Amino acid sequence: MAPFAPAVVLSVALGTSLATGVVTTTPPPANTSFDYVVIGGGTTGLTVASRLSVNPAIRVLTIEAGLDNRTDPGVQSVFSFASAIGGPLDWAWKTEDGVTLDGGKTLGGSSSINGAAWTRGQDLQFDAWNQLLEPSEKSVGWGWDGPDGLFAFMKKSETFHPPDALQRSPTQGINATYDPSAHGLVGPVQASFPLHQFMAASDAGIGIKQTAFIETCGTFIGLEHGIDVNGGNPTGVWVNPLSIDPARNDNRSSSAEAYLTPVENSRPNWTVLVGHMATRILFTPSNSSGNAIQRAYAIEFSPTSSDGTDSGTRFTVQVNKEAILAAGTIQTPSLLQLSGVGPSEVLDSLDIQPVVPLEGVGRNLQEQPAIPVEVNTTVFDVNGTRLQDAMAFPNVFQLFTAGTLTNSSANVSQVISANLDSWAESEAQRGGGISKEALKSLFTVQAQTILSGKAPISEFWFFDPSFILGPDSAPATAVNTWNLLPFSRGNVSINSTNPFEKPRVRVGYFDVDFDMQVSIATLRAARRLFRSAPFSSIYTGELAPAAAVPDPTGDGGSDADWRAWILSVFSSNSHPIGTAAMMRRDIGGVVDARLKVYGTANVRVVDASIMPMQVSAHLSAPLYGIAEKAAALIAEDA
């Protein structure tokens, strides 16, 4: 095997300081040492770094590929989140599936550009992770409940602001409800309901549409309007909080605003280097690989490249204690592979000397296809700046009863149970897992959570297109939908030893046909919902898919027409997970229950890539909980 191509390592500081305090664009002097080097200044990276740097004796470096855009109005305002998509703050990974995966390339990562939805998922989904660990690791506490459980750490991250009387109103407000026991009150991230934004200049306002949606989810699908989506049982229809700060006019509460801004001028032991990208983890030379435990001694990094070219300029910093990867589901496995940690086939093809042959790195990618249904109504937001935040989460039996031509879920359990073996075989052949047997283990646990009837299988996000498209779209209303728990698996692998060349990403949307059946049922149910009472009283017609999915008999349209339309319009939901999964090594795991990369002494992963299976939630709130727990584990091991 040939060694890595030599890089030009400079000790000259490039760039200028971006801000006072810990944030800078100037690299530390060559070979400066830090106790912890956190790779990625996004949702989880800033959380972990902030917690570790509480101790003034600990030196922490965070390396972020993007810049500090906290003062950008498009970052501050959740209403402007769509403006970042496809721009310089978006990684915009092209996939082999023909769609783009979006992710935040800025301080705060995706928490700085997302829609700010604040949901946590089903308790049993987190409990199920324990089934994928070694028996001796279950005491680490990756379930939902208990002092070491994720629910406690999610609440630790949060300061929740209860809805006031107007927000609780079902007519003038947003019909918001909450359970105090489900929330934290002293955490860094602010979570609240939007400030009175549903009051319109006439009685015909956005609150009427949202209330009609909530009520129709009950009468048509059988979903209960629950008290609090964040209590561990999200099946139902909800008005969900957002990660926004009412003290700052509902501006975004990103990880940068929550964990960095309050302390950045009082933490001289924490350096946040922006505009730079880690290019390799350097391991202590060893005479053996594969069996020996490898220790990271340094991180190599470079100024971020905007066009994918590699200048060859490299800097290094020394790692005293640990290297912590928080670069996300796409970049984390890419960096591991560039560093010699990954599948032998990938490393051999690029003549990379293996440090730890680890077959699961980059596999088990799970992502959700998003498809909307849009309609016209008789009422609309007269100001064009209103934000709706209602979501419906049906379980598999509710969905297939409401969204299939037979109006029955009688066969769904049989379909799932009878096909796990063939699904595992096909997805392993496509590179989604290390073997058929490994994927069968994952699919069995996933099927148990789905067939329990507790974990929601799809999401209906009710929104006003004026939120994204501007006031000219009124009086349109839409639901964006997605299959929350796909069985299809993809993979991420580097194409070259150039760290600035984006990796090959294959999601494999709809590889497993059951995923398509879930999407068809979800969309047909959405179409039928809008036509059902009481929403039907304000419904005036369908804008999408409209004639693209004919419905001459009024039964919701044929499977064939839905399938063709879905394949022509679906986009990425940009909630990717799973490529450095926390599970047993023999089933494709990359990290153990303490988040250490197998075969290494001091490399951890703390981001969405460690999640072994999707959860029925938006990812921000679970990821803050994961990061808070990771910080506690790291402190225990120090």
Side-chain angles (χ1 to χ4, degrees):
M1 289 289 179
F4 288 98
V8 181
V9 180
L10 301 183
S11 61
V12 179
L14 298 180
T16 57
S17 178
L18 182 66
T20 60
V22 300
V23 181
T24 181
T25 57
T26 302
N31 296 316
T32 300
S33 64
F34 292 86
D35 295 300
Y36 298 98
V37 179
V38 180
I39 300 166
T43 305
T44 54
L46 291 182
T47 302
V48 171
S50 181
R51 292 303 191 190
L52 294 176
S53 63
V54 166
N55 183 347
I58 297 294
R59 296 195 67 199
V60 180
L61 171 67
T62 301
I63 303 173
E64 166 55 39
L67 296 173
D68 183 355
N69 304 103
R70 280 176 289 174
T71 60
D72 186 328
V75 168
Q76 290 183 338
S77 173
V78 173
F79 291 93
S80 303
F81 88 92
S83 66
I85 304 304
L89 308 190
D90 181 8
W91 279 97
W93 297 283
K94 304 297 183 185
T95 73
E96 293 185 351
D97 310 87
V99 298
T100 299
L101 269 173
D102 303 302
K105 190 178 184 180
T106 179
L107 197 62
S110 292
S111 75
S112 291
I113 68 167
N114 64 12
W118 193 249
T119 64
R120 292 176 178 147
Q122 180 73 39
D123 52 8
L124 64 81
Q125 293 177 312
F126 298 98
D127 293 340
W129 292 2
N130 281 316
Q131 297 183 50
L132 303 173
L133 299 173
E134 297 290 351
S136 61
E137 294 184 311
K138 294 180 182 180
S139 62
V140 177
W142 282 101
W144 178 263
D145 285 323
D148 296 324
L150 278 170
F151 189 34
F153 282 107
M154 290 181 201
K155 290 193 285 186
K156 181 179 180 180
S157 73
E158 175 193 41
T159 289
F160 178 72
H161 302 266
D164 61 21
L166 183 55
Q167 291 168 326
R168 293 194 300 270
S169 170
T171 53
Q172 292 181 305
I174 56 175
N175 207 3
T177 57
Y178 75 105
D179 176 2
S181 68
H183 295 283
L185 298 175
V186 295
V189 184
Q190 308 300 306
S192 67
F193 298 97
L195 288 171
H196 301 177
Q197 81 290 0
F198 289 89
M199 297 179 66
S202 71
D203 289 337
I206 204 165
I208 295 174
K209 290 195 290 187
Q210 178 155 294
T211 298
F213 171 76
I214 291 170
E215 293 177 354
T216 308
C217 284
T219 58
F220 174 62
I221 303 179
L223 294 176
E224 179 183 353
H225 181 196
I227 300 299
D228 200 312
V229 70
N230 285 305
N233 185 21
T235 299
V237 59
W238 316 85
V239 177
N240 61 284
L242 306 171
S243 51
I244 54 178
D245 187 355
R248 296 188 299 115
N249 196 33
D250 278 1
N251 276 351
R252 179 189 301 278
S253 184
S254 65
S255 65
E257 291 289 355
Y259 285 91
L260 173 61
T261 298
V263 302
E264 65 178 315
N265 293 316
S266 60
R267 296 269 180 95
N269 59 317
W270 181 17
T271 300
V272 179
L273 177 65
V274 298
H276 289 75
M277 185 168 145
T279 53
R280 268 195 305 164
I281 303 167
L282 304 180
F283 290 91
T284 302
S286 172
N287 292 327
S288 62
S289 63
N291 295 322
I293 301 299
Q294 307 296 321
R295 182 173 185 83
Y297 73 90
I299 302 299
E300 179 188 270
F301 61 96
S302 175
T304 300
S305 169
S306 60
D307 61 4
T309 58
D310 186 353
S311 67
T313 301
R314 296 290 189 272
F315 304 95
T316 59
V317 290
Q318 302 296 307
V319 177
N320 292 339
K321 293 181 180 291
E322 295 190 12
I324 301 168
L325 275 73
T329 297
I330 307 302
Q331 294 302 124
T332 282
S334 300
L335 182 60
L336 285 171
Q337 293 170 9
L338 286 164
S339 305
V341 180
S344 299
E345 180 182 3
V346 174
L347 304 182
D348 290 347
S349 69
L350 296 172
D351 207 24
I352 294 175
Q353 182 70 41
V355 176
V356 181
L358 194 53
E359 296 305 310
V361 174
R363 303 187 195 271
N364 193 44
L365 174 63
Q366 298 158 62
E367 165 55 4
Q368 304 153 334
I371 315 108
V373 171
E374 189 173 348
V375 301
N376 260 329
T377 65
T378 59
V379 296
F380 58 95
D381 168 14
V382 296
N383 293 325
T385 57
R386 304 302 188 223
L387 174 59
Q388 294 172 150
D389 58 348
M391 294 177 179
F393 292 98
N395 65 36
V396 67
F397 304 109
Q398 292 166 326
L399 176 67
F400 276 76
T401 298
T404 59
L405 291 173
T406 60
N407 296 318
S408 172
S409 62
N411 296 325
V412 67
S413 295
Q414 180 180 355
V415 168
I416 293 175
S417 299
N419 285 284
L420 294 180
D421 195 73
S422 62
W423 296 345
E425 182 174 16
S426 65
E427 292 311 277
Q429 290 174 349
R430 295 183 176 107
I434 66 169
S435 69
K436 169 187 172 181
E437 293 72 23
L439 279 179
K440 178 71 176 295
S441 298
L442 270 69
F443 287 175
T444 298
V445 176
Q446 181 176 337
Q448 289 169 353
T449 63
I450 291 172
L451 295 178
S452 71
K454 294 181 179 179
I457 195 170
S458 66
E459 178 171 337
F460 297 65
W461 176 40
F462 181 71
F463 73 101
D464 191 328
S466 65
F467 176 34
I468 297 175
L469 303 176
D472 290 342
S473 65
T477 293
V479 289
N480 200 15
T481 73
W482 49 88
N483 174 0
L484 289 161
L485 309 174
F487 283 95
S488 299
R489 296 296 196 267
N491 56 70
V492 175
S493 58
I494 55 175
N495 293 302
S496 76
T497 57
N498 173 7
F500 300 102
E501 182 178 333
K502 290 181 179 177
R504 182 183 67 83
V505 179
R506 182 188 181 279
V507 177
Y509 297 100
F510 310 115
D511 275 354
V512 172
D513 192 65
F514 181 75
D515 294 345
M516 175 62 76
Q517 295 303 317
V518 171
S519 289
I520 291 172
T522 302
L523 289 160
R524 186 184 285 119
R527 169 180 270 182
R528 289 172 171 176
L529 185 149
F530 282 131
R531 298 173 180 177
S532 301
F535 200 95
S536 58
S537 66
I538 58 173
Y539 170 88
T540 60
E542 188 174 270
L543 299 174
V549 181
D551 188 15
T553 62
D555 60 5
S558 71
D559 283 5
D561 287 335
W562 277 115
R563 181 186 296 269
W565 184 72
I566 288 169
L567 292 174
S568 69
V569 303
F570 83 91
S571 62
S572 166
N573 202 34
S574 297
H575 290 173
I577 65 136
T579 53
M582 180 183 64
M583 55 189 184
R584 299 189 307 274
R585 189 171 183 172
D586 67 301
I587 59 172
V590 174
V591 301
D592 63 19
R594 302 192 77 82
L595 303 182
K596 282 191 176 181
V597 175
Y598 288 116
T600 74
N602 64 334
V603 179
R604 297 198 208 225
V605 178
V606 185
D607 57 35
S609 70
I610 69 102
M611 298 173 66
M613 296 183 296
Q614 283 282 6
V615 294
S616 302
H618 294 243
L619 293 182
S620 289
L623 287 175
Y624 282 120
I626 289 169
E628 289 278 10
K629 183 173 177 66
L633 291 173
I634 294 167
E636 286 178 10
D637 294 345

